[in-house]
Amino acid sequence: MRFDLNTGTFVDTGLRPDQDAVIGADRTLTWQALAEEAAAWCAQAREAGFAADVPVIVRGHKEAAFFVAIAGALMLGAPFVPLDTIYPDERMDRIARTLGSHAYYDARTATFERLPFASHPQPLQEKGLAYVLFTSGTTCEPKGVQIGRESVHTLVDWMAYDFALGASPVFLNQAPFSFDLSMYEVMATLALGGTVVLASREAITQGDAFLKMLAAHSVTTWVSTPSFAQQQLLQPDFSGQGLPTLDTFLFCGEVLPVTLARHLRQRFPKARIINTYGPTEATVATTWIVVDDAMLAGADKLPIGYPKRGSEVFVQDGELCIAGPHVMRGYLNREDLNATRMFSHNGTRGFRTGDLGAVDELGRLFCHGRIDDQVKVGGYRIELLEIDAALGKLPGVQSAAAVPLRRPDGSVARIVGFVQPASGDAHSPFLPQDWKASLGEALPPYMIPSELIPRQTLPVSVNFKIDRAKLAQDYRDMQLNPSRPTEGKHNG
């Protein structure tokens, strides 16, 4: 069996219905069980007031019911809005208000729960959406990226034609469903009739046991950010011998370091490494390239590759721009952003990424970082201004700046916060000891700075914007000269 994304139905194929479809953190579903539970979910959703074009928030982590809800929403024609439990309640409330949601589905209890923000279901103006993903916003309000069904079709067709994943691929799924990277595994499993292994946060901390679990389920396709794969190099079993069925690494979400690619080629000489690039607004990814030994020889930076079939990627005034049917239908209720970020190109939707790019003599595309203050940490896209706003709400803080600390290859290792006290005295212990817990009420863990550094004043640029580059250099100077007097530091 498999799921036909065009018709929104399960169809019979040569794949046995008793073959595993979803190996969740809590239970395993065969294809037959997935089809039956998805149909039952649709009936349950209709009773709760959901219908075609009415968005449904699905909250949970790596429960099998989460995957069932995604399949059920696609059957119903209701755009699903995935929200991982890593996000605090406040963030879900903001998203629910934006959507006008009257209820949400809790995958942990497999029930629909009422919300106080609307008395009845409210369909979206955009029709025929597959899902809406909310990314970090500059005003502490997450931005809803509307992805149409036609965009999902282009994603799975691309994977089927070009990625050579085999007849029944077995995917590792470790990214939260609210991170668009996970749509690789979700949509490909459904459309190609494969198997998805949902690895929970608890499971991936188990080290050797985690890898043994993947080996036991015969995982063939590793999907993650480069940072996640980098962490696994500490495990001896992260190798072709420890994972004998693994034949493909599929990366997206951040820069793929040359050193990591070389280590993987040594550990997994028979596996292919596919490097892809693309913002959430372009349905997971829009460029790709297979990284081989010849490319790695003498390389100091890897290309993001070539545009996927049916799309265009080009550099305009130094900025990477994307055009094609996989580009989003626009931000939800943000015509101001749509007017500045979207455009029409050769009769298709276009999107200005905000990423600096270039093309080499071979036609290969490169990404050289962000134009604005948006960064990626561990694959998560983050607006630094959102962290600034949360820091500014801490007691005793007058102004604040989140500062990314970068590795030599330009990727972000972590974020530190600089805060200016309202008292003007950076030497006084004005911050509460539980500042991380306070920030956790508004921000997910990956957005919370690793430390806070008080300063009498925050430097500004010639445009009177906080000079993050200067603060980052000050931090590096502090690390190189630990005896140098500092204004203070809070690790929390």
Side-chain angles (χ1 to χ4, degrees):
M1 297 182 73
R2 66 178 182 86
F3 188 81
D4 189 324
L5 289 165
N6 288 297
T7 63
T9 59
F10 285 86
V11 295
D12 291 327
T13 63
L15 185 68
R16 299 194 324 269
D18 61 345
Q19 179 171 320
D20 290 342
V22 181
I23 301 171
D26 52 349
R27 60 196 177 100
T28 297
L29 297 176
T30 64
W31 273 95
Q32 185 65 46
L34 175 61
E36 292 173 354
E37 291 199 20
W41 185 94
C42 284
Q44 188 182 1
R46 289 190 186 96
E47 289 183 5
F50 290 94
D53 301 317
V54 177
V56 54
I57 297 172
V58 182
R59 194 176 195 194
H61 182 44
K62 293 299 179 185
E63 305 85 3
F66 204 128
F67 200 94
V68 168
I70 290 176
L74 291 169
M75 291 178 69
L76 188 61
F80 63 89
V81 185
L83 188 64
D84 194 272
T85 52
I86 194 173
Y87 290 98
D89 291 343
E90 180 186 343
R91 192 174 184 86
M92 191 186 86
D93 290 347
R94 295 204 303 269
I95 290 172
R97 287 192 189 95
T98 301
L99 293 166
S101 298
H102 72 291
Y104 75 97
Y105 181 73
D106 192 329
R108 296 164 294 184
T109 59
T111 58
F112 283 90
E113 303 293 339
R114 294 286 303 180
L115 288 166
F117 309 116
S119 58
H120 59 276
Q122 299 184 29
L124 296 175
Q125 289 185 352
E126 282 289 335
K127 308 305 179 186
L129 296 179
Y131 60 84
V132 181
L133 277 178
F134 280 82
T135 65
S136 179
T138 58
T139 61
C140 277
E141 289 299 324
K143 296 178 297 189
V145 177
Q146 302 177 107
I147 300 296
R149 284 176 173 262
E150 73 285 355
S151 298
V152 170
H153 297 162
T154 65
L155 174 68
V156 295
D157 287 348
W158 177 39
M159 296 180 73
Y161 292 142
D162 292 331
F163 284 15
L165 300 177
S168 297
V170 182
F171 294 95
L172 162 65
N173 168 261
Q174 55 80 216
F177 289 120
S178 44
F179 179 16
D180 70 311
L181 173 65
S182 66
M183 293 300 110
Y184 263 146
E185 309 96 84
V186 168
M187 298 304 173
T189 296
L190 288 170
L192 302 180
T195 304
V196 63
V197 180
L198 310 183
S200 67
R201 280 186 288 274
E202 180 182 7
I204 64 179
T205 62
Q206 301 301 312
D208 186 57
F210 166 60
L211 297 176
K212 282 183 168 54
M213 182 266 288
L214 299 184
H217 293 308
S218 301
V219 165
T220 64
T221 309
W222 179 287
V223 186
S224 78
T225 61
S227 292
F228 184 74
Q230 183 77 47
Q231 296 170 2
Q232 308 311 311
L233 291 175
L234 297 173
Q235 303 297 327
D237 282 345
F238 186 56
S239 65
Q241 293 74 36
L243 296 170
T245 58
L246 200 157
D247 57 26
T248 304
F249 285 95
L250 179 53
F251 290 122
C252 196
E254 62 182 358
V255 173
L256 174 59
V258 173
T259 53
L260 172 60
R262 286 173 177 157
H263 283 307
L264 293 178
R265 292 294 301 146
Q266 293 170 358
R267 296 259 190 125
F268 298 86
K270 297 181 180 179
R272 294 175 311 135
I273 301 173
I274 304 177
N275 188 29
T276 67
Y277 156 86
T280 303
E281 291 86 348
T283 317
V284 185
T286 196
T287 70
W288 76 299
I289 195 166
V290 176
V291 178
D292 56 19
D293 293 333
M295 186 183 301
L296 289 170
D300 56 3
K301 183 168 185 157
L302 294 174
I304 57 174
Y306 304 94
K308 72 180 183 180
R309 59 179 63 219
S311 73
E312 291 185 67
V313 183
F314 52 93
V315 179
Q316 188 174 73
D317 298 327
E319 181 179 15
L320 285 169
C321 296
I322 299 169
H326 64 302
V327 170
M328 68 170 177
R329 301 267 200 90
Y331 294 111
L332 178 65
N333 302 333
R334 292 301 305 271
E335 292 307 315
D336 57 331
L337 285 177
N338 294 336
T340 59
R341 302 294 293 279
M342 298 194 71
F343 61 96
S344 179
H345 180 77
N346 294 335
T348 62
R349 295 186 297 270
F351 178 72
R352 298 179 178 87
T353 66
D355 288 328
L356 294 167
V359 185
D360 69 5
E361 65 280 0
L362 300 177
R364 301 180 304 179
L365 290 154
F366 287 79
C367 180
H368 295 310
R370 293 292 302 172
I371 293 173
D372 52 25
D373 283 330
Q374 190 181 91
V375 299
K376 282 190 175 182
V377 180
Y380 293 98
R381 193 173 66 177
I382 294 170
E383 294 277 4
L384 296 176
L385 294 179
E386 185 175 3
I387 304 178
D388 292 352
L391 289 172
K393 294 179 181 178
L394 289 173
V397 172
Q398 176 175 311
S399 61
V403 176
L405 302 179
R406 299 183 182 276
R407 303 182 181 93
D409 63 8
S411 63
V412 177
R414 60 191 177 96
I415 292 175
V416 297
F418 284 83
V419 291
Q420 179 179 344
S423 66
D425 184 3
H427 296 284
S428 64
F430 67 98
L431 285 171
Q433 290 298 311
D434 60 346
W435 62 267
K436 284 191 176 182
S438 297
L439 289 177
E441 295 177 3
L443 301 174
Y446 60 81
M447 292 180 71
I448 297 175
S450 59
E451 58 187 291
L452 293 189
I453 303 168
R455 285 185 53 128
Q456 295 291 129
T457 58
L458 299 179
V460 295
S461 67
V462 293
N463 294 323
F464 292 94
K465 294 183 179 180
I466 292 177
D467 194 340
R468 299 181 200 272
K470 175 69 167 57
L471 289 170
Q473 185 58 53
D474 287 352
Y475 185 89
R476 288 190 289 269
D477 291 343
M478 289 163 51
Q479 303 307 303
L480 291 173
N481 302 285
S483 59
R484 175 184 171 184
T486 61
E487 295 180 287
K489 181 163 66 173
H490 293 259
N491 290 311

